[in-house]
């Protein structure tokens, strides 16, 4: 459980009846980007919305830090230009602690994708409002990494797959971003329909239909389209164990049914770990399953020359593993 007594998943997110992650939220109005996380227990809670909604560049500008949690100020990698991944391979190394949508976004920002690419993409989706983006500082086993979060100020509508699909299809997203986001949501909807025995278009995503998971999927899609890598390779995925409690429809097994449904048919391999909890979330599962280029897992790409690496942090502190997703951008060479 978190500090408020809520049941959480392995990345420190509250979970709904399907084991889907939710974020803590609070800002006001239009799509906005902020590097100051509003702490409702501190004086920041009274900060004017126009300050919270300040649009900035990535990485954050130098200046005084706010009260904890602090903005992420470490510069691991220089900002990448468009199409920087052309001719290269992006390796998604989720072997240690799994993957969630927010960890994926954080790692892509740490790799050098501009945060404004994310903000611009989100602004192109109609009726996706009432939130801010924050990137804060985390440290796992002495490895610093950004934590990406979405702050809601407005109650988000309960969205089904039909409505999300329409939002994305009628958006002003580029063709590449739209294709990636639609593919991820289609896979998630198919998995949910199989779990609940319902028609795909009628699947309600609960918290996955809330703004945070739409943001995560669109953000990852926008960053990958910006990089334009030749291929995306995925590591084997760790599967937690035990029972996930606190779900609206009752306890669920770990890994959750929706996660397994997304991974079935993807060709990605999994392995068990002695960790009670959810290491791969439904959002993370639908993203890697829809993005894999080879439709199989690789522990490490063959003849792979790393060029830069990056990390995205989850909020949970595991006793046996650092809660980090690692991305490695590199090239494959002939020996």
């Amino acid at each position: 459980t978190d500090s408020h007594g809520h049941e959480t998943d392995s990345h420190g997110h509250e979970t709904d009846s399907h084991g889907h992650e939710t974020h803590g939220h609070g800002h006001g109005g239009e799509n906005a980007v902020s590097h100051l996380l509003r702490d409702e227990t501190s004086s920041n809670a009274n900060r004017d919305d126009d300050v919270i909604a300040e649009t900035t560049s990535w990485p954050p500008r130098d200046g005084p830090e706010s009260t904890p949690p602090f903005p992420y100020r470490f510069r691991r990698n220089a900002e990448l230009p468009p199409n920087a991944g052309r001719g290269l391979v992006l390796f998604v190394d989720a072997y240690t602690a799994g993957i969630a949508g927010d960890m994926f976004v954080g790692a892509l920002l740490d790799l050098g994708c501009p945060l404004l690419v994310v903000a611009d993409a989100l602004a192109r989706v109609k009726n996706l409002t009432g939130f801010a983006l924050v990137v804060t500082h985390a440290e796992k086993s002495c490895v610093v990494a950004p934590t990406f979060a979405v702050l809601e100020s407005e109650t988000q509508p309960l969205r089904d797959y039909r409505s999300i699909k329409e939002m994305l299809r009628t958006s002003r997203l580029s063709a590449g971003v739209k294709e990636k986001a639609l593919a991820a949501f289609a896979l998630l909807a198919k998995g949910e329909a199989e779990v609940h025995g319902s028609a795909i278009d009628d699947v309600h995503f609960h918290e996955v239909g809330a703004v945070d998971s739409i943001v995560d999927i669109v953000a990852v899609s926008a960053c990958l389209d910006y990089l334009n890598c030749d291929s995306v390779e995925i590591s084997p995925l760790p599967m937690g164990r035990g029972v996930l409690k606190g779900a609206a429809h009752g306890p669920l097994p770990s890994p959750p049914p929706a996660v397994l449904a997304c991974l079935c048919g993807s060709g990605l391999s999994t392995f068990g770990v002695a960790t009670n909890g959810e290491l791969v979330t439904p959002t993370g599962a639908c993203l890697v399953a829809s993005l894999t280029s080879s439709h199989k897992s690789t522990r490490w790409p063959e003849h792979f020359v790393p060029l830069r690496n990056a990390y995205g942090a989850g909020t949970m502190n595991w006793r046996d593993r650092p809660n980090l997703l690692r991305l490695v951008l590199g090239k494959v060479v002939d020996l």
Side-chain angles (χ1 to χ4, degrees), residues 6-88:
H6 298 145
E7 196 72 28
T8 60
D9 69 8
S10 62
H11 301 289
H13 306 143
E14 295 175 27
T15 57
D16 73 354
S17 59
H18 305 289
H20 302 151
E21 67 266 25
T22 65
H23 300 280
H25 307 302
H27 153 214
E30 296 299 320
N31 302 29
V33 179
S34 173
H35 295 290
L36 298 178
L37 178 60
R38 178 160 55 182
D39 182 351
E40 298 298 340
T41 64
S42 74
S43 59
N44 281 350
N46 299 318
R47 189 185 297 270
D48 291 338
D49 279 349
D50 60 345
V51 176
I52 295 296
E54 179 185 7
T55 298
T56 63
S57 61
W58 173 260
R61 295 189 300 265
D62 294 332
E65 293 183 334
S66 66
T67 55
F70 298 118
Y72 186 66
R73 299 190 180 280
F74 179 69
R75 298 170 186 255
R76 177 173 282 113
N77 292 300
E79 184 174 297
L80 290 167
N83 300 310
R86 187 172 293 165
L88 303 178

Side-chain angles (χ1 to χ4, degrees), residues 42-313:
S42 74
S43 59
N44 281 350
N46 299 318
R47 189 185 297 270
D48 291 338
D49 279 349
D50 60 345
V51 176
I52 295 296
E54 179 185 7
T55 298
T56 63
S57 61
W58 173 260
R61 295 189 300 265
D62 294 332
E65 293 183 334
S66 66
T67 55
F70 298 118
Y72 186 66
R73 299 190 180 280
F74 179 69
R75 298 170 186 255
R76 177 173 282 113
N77 292 300
E79 184 174 297
L80 290 167
N83 300 310
R86 187 172 293 165
L88 303 178
V89 173
L90 179 67
F91 177 48
V92 180
D93 186 6
Y95 192 88
T96 300
I99 186 168
D102 56 352
M103 295 171 74
F104 205 166
V105 181
L108 284 164
L109 296 176
D110 196 42
L111 190 68
C113 294
L115 183 57
L116 291 181
V117 168
V118 173
D120 178 70
L122 296 172
R124 295 173 180 271
V125 182
K126 189 176 180 180
N127 297 325
L128 189 62
T129 60
F131 67 91
L133 310 180
V134 295
V135 182
T136 52
H137 183 95
E139 188 172 321
K140 309 291 182 179
S141 299
C142 295
V143 178
V144 296
T147 297
F148 177 81
V150 181
L151 302 185
E152 286 181 19
S153 64
E154 302 171 3
T155 301
Q156 297 292 320
L158 181 64
R159 297 182 173 101
D160 56 21
Y161 176 56
R162 182 185 290 106
S163 65
I164 293 175
K165 183 168 56 176
E166 184 66 14
M167 285 177 67
L168 295 174
R169 283 180 173 173
T170 60
S171 71
R172 294 182 292 110
L173 292 168
S174 69
V177 178
K178 191 179 297 188
E179 179 183 7
K180 291 179 178 63
L182 284 168
F185 266 113
L187 192 58
L188 185 55
K190 180 177 180 293
E192 291 281 9
E194 291 176 0
V195 171
H196 299 295
S198 62
I200 291 180
D201 278 349
D202 296 332
V203 167
H204 283 84
F205 287 117
H206 301 273
E207 275 76 9
V208 168
V211 65
D212 55 301
S213 290
I214 298 175
V215 166
D216 288 348
I217 289 175
V218 171
V220 169
S221 301
C223 287
L224 292 181
D225 190 67
Y226 178 85
L227 290 175
N228 193 21
C229 296
D230 278 16
S231 66
V232 177
E233 303 298 332
I234 314 295
S235 73
L237 302 172
M239 297 285 106
R241 65 185 186 183
V243 176
L244 303 176
K245 299 179 180 179
H249 299 307
L252 287 173
S254 178
V259 169
L260 288 182
C262 287
L263 294 178
C264 285
S266 68
L268 299 177
S269 62
T270 63
F271 63 98
V273 296
T275 302
N276 290 321
E278 182 185 29
L279 295 176
V280 176
T281 68
T283 302
C286 74
L287 282 167
V288 293
S290 62
L291 290 169
T292 174
S293 299
S294 60
H295 299 286
K296 63 180 181 180
S297 296
T298 177
R299 184 61 190 91
W300 195 263
E302 290 291 330
H303 311 311
F304 185 55
V305 179
L307 299 177
R308 63 169 64 188
N309 70 106
Y311 297 87

